[in-house]
């Protein structure tokens, strides 16, 4: 469900300029994957803590969310630049499309670590380690 929501926001963000003619400065803050990613991670971190999951589960979720979002952005950049559709994903100052796309791969790694950190803090606050310890206890 989290990845589906990220995809939906990526598609809406893609369509804001070409379909609805909403200027970048007006629409970019309303549909932002950068804002949605930590919110999604917080929700899933609480769920992992309640179900007795581990930090490893959080890392997998963080990577799935970060790289899915970056894949959606990369696809948006590719359609924008190679398809000639003017969207929020690139601007006139973008000279190197491949470099821009690779930058989002690097951003996926950074976001994975950032989301894992956010998720880990939320997990601890939600009592995740205590629940995991009680679930794993043989007694």
């Amino acid at each position: 469900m989290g990845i589906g929501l990220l995809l939906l926001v990526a598609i809406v963000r893609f369509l804001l300029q070409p379909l609805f003619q909403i200027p970048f400065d007006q629409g970019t803050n309303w549909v932002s994957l950068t804002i949605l990613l930590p919110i999604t991670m917080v929700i899933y971190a609480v769920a992992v803590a309640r179900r007795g999951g581990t930090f490893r589960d959080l890392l997998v979720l963080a990577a799935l969310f970060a790289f899915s979002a970056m894949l959606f952005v990369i696809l948006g950049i590719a359609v924008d630049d190679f398809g000639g559709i003017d969207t929020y994903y690139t601007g006139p100052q973008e000279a190197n499309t491949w470099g821009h796309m690779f930058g989002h791969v690097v951003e996926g790694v950074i976001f994975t670590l950032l989301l894992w950190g956010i998720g880990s803090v939320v997990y601890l606050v939600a009592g995740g380690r205590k629940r995991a310890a009680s679930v794993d206890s043989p007694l």
Side-chain angles (χ1 to χ4, degrees):
M1 179 154 158
I3 293 174
L5 184 59
L6 292 169
L7 177 61
L8 179 65
V9 168
I11 290 170
V12 169
R13 185 173 175 83
F14 181 85
L15 296 174
L16 281 178
Q17 190 163 332
L19 189 62
F20 301 112
Q21 301 300 311
I22 298 173
F24 180 82
D25 355 346
Q26 290 178 342
T28 192
N29 293 327
W30 292 103
V31 283
S32 171
L33 291 170
T34 305
I35 294 170
L36 183 60
L37 277 167
I39 294 169
T40 305
M41 192 64 201
V42 166
I43 293 167
Y44 276 83
V46 170
V48 168
R50 289 185 179 199
R51 290 193 172 105
T54 64
F55 288 107
R56 190 176 318 144
D57 298 327
L58 293 173
L59 178 59
V60 169
L61 285 172
L64 283 173
F65 292 149
F67 282 103
S68 294
M70 294 313 115
L71 175 65
F72 302 148
V73 171
I74 289 168
L75 290 172
I77 293 168
V79 170
D80 186 320
D81 281 352
F82 302 130
I85 299 172
D86 190 24
T87 70
Y88 287 1
Y89 287 109
T90 60
Q93 72 279 7
E94 298 295 331
N96 183 353
T97 301
W98 294 105
H100 186 193
M101 287 193 256
F102 179 74
H104 283 282
V105 172
V106 173
E107 188 177 317
V109 173
I110 293 167
F111 262 95
T112 296
L113 297 174
L114 181 66
L115 292 174
W116 189 32
I118 291 169
S120 296
V121 169
V122 172
Y123 173 82
L124 289 172
V125 169
R129 287 184 66 155
K130 294 175 191 163
R131 291 180 191 198
S134 65
V135 170
D136 295 337
S137 175
L139 298 174

